[in-house]
Every structure is written in C-alpha cells, then in structure tokens.
Amino acid sequence: MSESPEIAMAEEQALGMHRKSVLELRNVSIFYSEKKAVNDVSFNIRRNKITAIIGPSGCGKSTLLRCLNRMNDFVEGCRVDGELLFANENLYGKDVDPVEVRRRIGMVFQKPNPFPKSIYNNIAWGPLINGYKDSTDELVEKSLKQAALWEEVKDRLHDSALNLSGGQQQRLCIARALAMEPEVLLMDEPCSALDPISTARIEDLMFELKEKYTIVIVTHNMQQAARISDYTAFMEMGDLIEFNVTKRIFTRPAIKRTEEYVTGRFG
Amino acid sequence: MPLTTEQEHRNLAKRHRKARIFARFCAAVTWSGVVLLGLLLYQVSIDGFGWLDWQFLDSFPSRFPERAGIKSALVGTVWLIALVAVISIPVGVSTALYLEEFAGRGRIAKIIEVNIANLAGVPSIVYGILGLAIFVRYFALERSLISGALTMSLLILPVIIIASREAIKTVPQGIRSAAYSLGATKWQTTWAHVLPASFPGIMTGVILALSRAIGETAPLIMIGALTFVAFLPEGPMDSFTALPIQIYNWVSRPQEEFHELAAAGIIILLAVLLIMNATAIYIRNKTERRLK
C-alpha cells in the first residue's frame, strides 16, 4: 500500500510526534532466487522510536528485517530491489560495504546466540575488531548497564556466557550489540524463546533504549507490538498491508484485513 | 482398573524383549572386539616384554639380536610424525575452512569434495609410488625424511580435511550471524569464532590421521626408507628408518629372537601412539572446557 506513509504522517501530525527518519524504505522488493518474498514495501523508520513489524508466519517480516543490515547477503540467491536509504545513502548501493552497514545497524536474533566465550569477551570483541582503542573495561560496564544485566553479572565477568539463563543471554546479546553504539537496533523476535518474566524485562529495557537508539522489532506477539511500539507495520504474504502509528493500527485500522489480524481472527 | 489390558501388556513385553536382545547383541560385538585386541596385546607382551630395556631403546640395529635396538627407528618415527603434523595440519585445516566457509556451493567445490572423499580410499602403496615419482625423483629430495613426511601427509590429508569439515559444519550458524552483525569480516568471524568452536572436532580428526600415519609401512618402503640405519637423522634431508619398517624387517628374519624383538618394537610403537593420543586428547579436553 503505497499511501500508507502519508496516512502515518497525518496521524503523526495529529499526535504531535516528531518525524525524523533514520531509514527510508522505498519500493523494496526481496527475492529468493525467483520467489518474491517481499513485495514493493515503502515506509519510514523514525529516529528514537520503536517500529514493530507484525504479520502471520511467512509474511516476509523477518526477511525484510534482515535486509535492513544486509544479513540477507549470506542467503544464496537473495536479491533486493528498490531503495533502502540510510543517512541518505542506499544500503544496497554499489560502493557500500556491508561490513560497515552491520557495524552501524546492530541486530539481536530470535535465539540468544552468545559466543562460547566469557561475558566480558562477548561484549569487548565487536569493538576490538572494529579498532576500538580505549579501555574496554568501561565499555563492557556501560553496555551491561544499558542492557540491565550489570548487577547480575558484575562479579563473574570472566565466566562463560553459556552459564547464563536464556533471558540473561538475550540481554547479553543486546549489550553486545549496544557496545558497537549502533544507530539502529534490529530485533528479530527477541523474546520468542524466553519466559514471560524475561520477556517483560526485555520490553522494559526497550523503553529505556529508545532514548538513545532507534529500534525495529519483528514480533509474532501482537500484544507485545501494541505494548512497546510507536509504529507498526502489518505485513501479509510479502505485502505491506498497513503502516501507521501503533495506537491507530490497534484501535481504528484503516484496512479491514489489519483489523481482522489484530483482533485475532486469523494468523 | 488395570493400567493396561492383557493384550497391550503382552505387546509391551515383546517390545521390551526386542530392546534387550538388541542391547545384548551390541554388547557382544563390542566385547568380541575388545577380547581379540586383548589377546593380541597379551601375545605381543609375552613375546616382547623380556627384550624391553634401556639397551633396546638405546641401540642401533644389529645382526646380533642381543645387541639390536630401535634407537634409529624410534627417532626416525618421532621426526617423521612431527614433520607430518607440521605439514598436514595447516594444509588440511585451511582446505577444510576454505571448502566450508569460503568456496560456496559451486560446481568446482563439489568436484573437489567428491575427489577428497575418493582419495581417502586410495591404497597407501599408491601414495608411496606417487611420493617416489614426485618428491624423491622429480623434486630430487632423495630418500629423505622430508620425502617420507610429504608422502605421508598426502596420505592423511583427506582424513584431516573430511574430519575438519564435519567439525566446522557443527558450529552453530547463530555464532556466525552474531559475529557478522557486529561488523566482523568473514576472516575475523572464521578466525575468532568458527575455528575455536570447531577445534575439538578438528583435533579428533588429526589424532586419527596421525595415528594412521605412525603405523603406515608401505609408502615408506616405496619411497625408500632404509631398513638398516646405524645413525640418527639430524635434519629433514637425512635418510631414515621408522618403527613399522624396523618391525617388518625383524619379522621377516628367520631367527626366533628377531621375532621377539619385533614384538618389543610393537610395544614401543603402541606406547608412542598412546602418548601421542593422550597428549592430543588432553589438549582437546582443555580447550573444550574453556569453550563451555
């Protein structure tokens, strides 16, 4: 739906929200070999906001998220059409280095995937390989505090990260991504492998993080999207059905299909 | 009310019986192997134990059994295995990394893959002939340690490559994704995460391969390792002998004493093998613990 961005803008104006975009998707289509996974999607991702992408399984939401930091490059036969503007540059432009893109747009994955190393090294490694010169001690402490994990692990920074619980591991992965000071943080169903208490902690954390970062989250869980996000994109079968301010999507969606999905009639 | 009906009960009992029979079959097969190996070791020990002393370890071969020893063969084997390890481990692991992480799934990668699997099944004597033609003659390395080590490396490379690839495959994709998402290059990801995580598995393959190399005789005979060496090799270009060759030489003599010497040589060979494997397993377990 190409008119979605304009609808969102009108809504923003009514709500008095600021409108600075970090990422702009313009007619983005994604193919796996010949199969089209995402079809002509356009919307903007606002700075210091949480944007949720929701939709039934296989709707292309994870695919879309993974192309925002070029993680799709590792999938053989994956091709992206259209423009993804980040700081006025197309992420898929000819002289854009995907390594540089991933340094500036961080990612947290569905399953917690800490390195099989110490808690400390999990966080320090990213900055170190990217030429970070200052003391990593401070950086590790700062990142763990930002991820609300510091108090739990400060006495065992050199223990293996694999001894942490699932929820702690996921917060460690968030801390690891934050240590790179990314401009955007992509989260691919970050709570789907976690229990409700860990999920609540991560949702609280996201509220704090949007002060500093821009977050894009893919989620299966509509309540989660409604609770935490400022904007919501609803996708189905590779199409963007509706994009708008979250409040609007969950109270008076413009499109019937969105209403059916958010009220749980399918999906 | 009973938990199961009569019919269900009989059925369950039948299934349990099947499971028991299968478990016993597996145990029997395992133990027959162990017993056979035990008998072999027992026989060798009976024959050879009397000859094991410092004199045996510290003497060169001789035509008098009581003066004969395996000094040159033992030193030759240690030299040979060290050289083989230095050559084959870097080459094998690099090849595995290339095939798994960098080569992609193209046609050439597939052809290489099939060929490596086939090479693992080529008889060792063929490698010996190849070594003789290429290293001894063409590169004029003579009948030296380095010729032997290069030939032996060719022989065990397929084993190292296949085992290393399997080990690299078991590294969870999530670790790679995590590294890439932090702005790591492919090389940084491979070096810092994939290689350490697959290290224990790679070590297992290397242990197996080197154990095979230590016992191989045919390729060494082919490239012309000597059977009677009364000096110690001082460098990779020196000629040499090795334990299996010395054993082979003793076994083929008519005198009973030499057969017992061969048994003593076998004990030494097994001891070297055991020490080598124990060291490798120790290193592997240590790194495994560090990873956990």
Side-chain angles (χ1 to χ4, degrees), chain B residues 86-101:
Chain B
V86 167
I87 296 165
S88 62
I89 296 173
V91 175
V93 175
S94 306
T95 308
L97 277 176
Y98 172 74
L99 289 174
E100 276 307 311
E101 301 290 317

Side-chain angles (χ1 to χ4, degrees), chain A residues 49-68:
Chain A
K49 298 289 177 199
I50 299 176
T51 304
I53 307 177
I54 60 171
S57 304
C59 70
K61 54 190 192 299
S62 277
T63 301
L64 185 64
L65 188 79
R66 293 170 73 89
C67 87
L68 298 182

Side-chain angles (χ1 to χ4, degrees), chain A residues 61-153:
Chain A
K61 54 190 192 299
S62 277
T63 301
L64 185 64
L65 188 79
R66 293 170 73 89
C67 87
L68 298 182
N69 69 340
R70 296 198 58 173
M71 286 299 282
N72 276 351
D73 288 19
F74 299 106
V75 180
E76 232 165 293
C78 181
R79 187 164 60 82
V80 177
D81 273 1
E83 278 189 316
L84 273 144
L85 296 179
F86 176 67
N88 285 322
E89 216 178 331
N90 187 2
L91 283 182
Y92 284 82
K94 268 208 177 63
D95 30 73
V96 172
D97 182 351
V99 172
E100 181 65 18
V101 171
R102 289 180 213 119
R103 198 178 66 73
R104 296 175 62 179
I105 303 181
M107 190 161 204
V108 175
F109 299 82
Q110 189 168 358
K111 235 179 92 193
N113 57 354
F115 297 130
K117 296 183 191 299
S118 71
I119 294 168
Y120 187 99
N121 285 333
N122 257 279
I123 293 170
W125 187 73
L128 281 176
I129 57 156
N130 281 286
Y132 189 82
K133 289 287 187 304
D134 298 343
S135 155
T136 48
D137 289 2
E138 277 169 42
L139 183 69
V140 168
E141 182 175 341
K142 195 180 109 197
S143 308
L144 284 170
K145 278 181 173 161
Q146 280 188 339
L149 190 59
W150 174 252
E151 287 304 320
E152 290 157 64
V153 302

Side-chain angles (χ1 to χ4, degrees), chain A residues 1 3 14-15 22 58 109 117 121 166 184 197 199 223 236 256:
Chain A
M1 297 293 141
E3 60 270 87
L15 291 166
V22 183
F109 299 82
K117 296 183 191 299
N121 285 333
V184 182
I197 293 170
T199 302
Q223 286 73 33
E236 194 183 13
K256 189 96 175 70

